Amino acid sequence: MENTSTTAWFKLAVLYLVAGVALGLHMAKSGDHGMYPVHAHINLLGWVSMALFGLIYRQFPALAGNKLAKAHFWLYNLALPVNMATLFMYLGGNVAIEPVLGVASMVLGLAIAIFAINVVKNAK
């Protein structure tokens, strides 16, 4: 992954920051804080984790240019929006969506495991 891909991590992280803040403001305005788990996950898995991934890949270029980094990027960025949407639906009462939420969560876990393997193998 070249520098543009670290930039992609940062740009996507900022989108999650905006979404997390918007959801937080909506909950504050409405007085309904029932979606606080979604708010927390958007901020942690979206804003914080993605910004850190970008910083780590920029700091350690050997991590960024391999197949593990590409798998991490695509799995994480395909699973995270599905995970957030299905968590929102599940907390809203749609319990039938739970299997999709579970699969998206497992894919996120796999992406994080791939990142960890990449760090252990290639960080110098």
Side-chain angles (χ1 to χ4, degrees):
M1 251 185 253
E2 298 86 32
N3 196 9
T4 53
S5 293
T6 62
T7 303
W9 281 111
F10 295 134
K11 288 181 178 182
L12 290 166
V14 169
L15 292 177
Y16 283 104
L17 170 63
V18 171
V21 168
L23 180 55
L25 290 171
H26 171 73
M27 289 187 308
K29 182 180 176 189
S30 70
D32 178 1
H33 294 87
M35 292 297 162
Y36 77 86
V38 179
H39 170 72
H41 280 79
I42 286 172
N43 284 309
L44 181 60
L45 296 176
W47 164 235
V48 176
S49 294
M50 291 178 76
L52 286 172
F53 295 146
L55 288 170
I56 292 166
Y57 282 129
R58 187 163 285 173
Q59 181 67 31
F60 298 95
L63 299 177
N66 61 42
K67 290 179 183 178
L68 291 171
K70 290 177 181 156
H72 172 224
F73 181 85
W74 287 108
L75 288 172
Y76 198 90
N77 285 292
L78 291 172
L80 185 58
V82 173
N83 187 268
M84 293 302 95
T86 55
L87 180 58
F88 187 89
M89 293 185 321
Y90 180 77
L91 293 172
N94 182 355
V95 295
I97 202 72
E98 188 174 22
V100 179
L101 175 58
V103 170
S105 296
M106 287 188 288
V107 173
L108 275 175
L110 175 62
I112 291 169
I114 289 169
F115 172 72
I117 292 165
N118 194 10
V119 169
V120 169
K121 282 182 64 174
N122 298 308
K124 295 177 181 24

